[in-house]
Amino acid sequence: IEESYEFSSYSSIRDGGIKSSRDFHLNEWSTFNAGIETIFTRFNPSLKRADRLFEDHEKEEFKNEGAYNTASVSSYAEWNYKLSSKAKIVAGLRYSFFTTESQNYHRWEPRFSFVWEMLPRLNVHGGYSRTTQFIHLLGTPIVGYPTDLWVPSTSGIRPQIADQFFINFSTLLNDRYYVELGAYYKSLDHIITL
């Protein structure tokens, strides 16, 4: 008996949320801003269908339907302080809470950066940040099956965490040209691939 297969897949994301933020000008050297955001998302990353076709045109269907409902709440606070006319620092902290039907995740994400005018036309900008990604893009490198799926973090898929350090040197050569040279180091944890 000769058999053949037909495959189809469907992936969707629906979300809605609310966000609020506030800026405070403490004085001429210092500002503070804070905010909160809530997002509700429904993922349907794996509605896949395989039809097995027989020689006599009978059809047998296999379906794998999986949907995930998630909610996330994040809040942040950031302080900008002007040390002098030539130097400024920015320090911030973000808290993220992410929940699916099977798992809850809590993450703190600190951030810090500075800008310093070393010379009249030479600036240095550097810093550190930690970010957490609760939503993952899964790509399939299989030839003839180009399907990318967005999936949330679950009990089996941990959030991706990135720590990045950077430094940039920039200079204004004249009224038309600006040159910037930078370097960064980034570490990634919990990367998933197919």
Side-chain angles (χ1 to χ4, degrees):
I1 296 177
E2 187 177 316
E3 298 177 9
S4 64
Y5 291 88
E6 293 177 358
F7 292 95
S8 63
S9 65
Y10 172 76
S11 179
S12 69
I13 301 174
R14 292 183 180 179
D15 63 10
I18 188 167
K19 180 179 181 179
S20 177
S21 62
R22 187 79 193 260
D23 294 334
F24 302 94
H25 296 277
L26 304 177
N27 53 48
E28 62 182 295
W29 305 283
S30 183
T31 61
F32 180 82
N33 54 67
I36 189 167
E37 178 179 42
T38 302
I39 300 174
F40 299 96
T41 308
R42 181 173 176 83
F43 293 86
N44 194 354
S46 59
L47 179 58
K48 295 181 180 177
R49 177 175 173 156
D51 294 334
R52 193 162 103 182
L53 303 174
F54 295 97
E55 199 174 62
D56 56 0
H57 303 295
E58 283 183 39
K59 207 180 218 188
E60 185 177 350
E61 291 185 2
F62 303 93
K63 289 186 181 180
N64 175 22
E65 298 184 18
Y68 300 94
N69 293 310
T70 67
S72 64
V73 177
S74 58
S75 59
Y76 73 92
E78 184 177 83
W79 178 55
N80 295 270
Y81 188 73
K82 194 173 183 181
L83 297 169
S84 69
S85 62
K86 297 179 186 254
K88 177 178 119 174
I89 60 170
V90 178
L93 184 63
R94 179 182 172 94
Y95 171 76
S96 298
F97 171 76
F98 183 86
T99 183
T100 65
E101 292 147 348
S102 60
Q103 186 70 38
N104 296 328
Y105 290 103
H106 304 266
R107 295 290 183 263
W108 291 98
E109 302 170 2
R111 290 127 196 241
F112 174 80
S113 66
F114 68 91
V115 177
W116 175 36
E117 184 182 344
M118 290 177 62
L119 300 170
R121 289 180 171 248
L122 179 63
N123 291 330
V124 180
H125 181 206
Y128 163 78
S129 67
R130 167 171 275 199
T131 56
T132 304
Q133 183 172 316
F134 298 104
I135 300 170
H136 310 275
L137 177 62
L138 297 179
T140 55
I142 301 169
V143 175
Y145 196 63
T147 303
D148 290 336
L149 300 174
W150 290 97
V151 296
S153 296
T154 62
S155 57
I157 303 173
R158 296 170 66 184
Q160 180 177 306
I161 299 172
D163 289 293
Q164 179 171 307
F165 297 87
F166 71 93
I167 189 160
N168 292 327
F169 295 90
S170 58
T171 184
L172 185 64
L173 298 177
N174 55 39
D175 293 337
R176 295 184 63 184
Y177 296 103
Y178 173 80
V179 176
E180 185 171 2
L181 177 65
Y184 71 92
Y185 170 79
K186 188 174 196 176
S187 68
L188 299 170
D189 292 323
H190 311 137
I191 297 173
I192 58 173
T193 57
L194 289 179

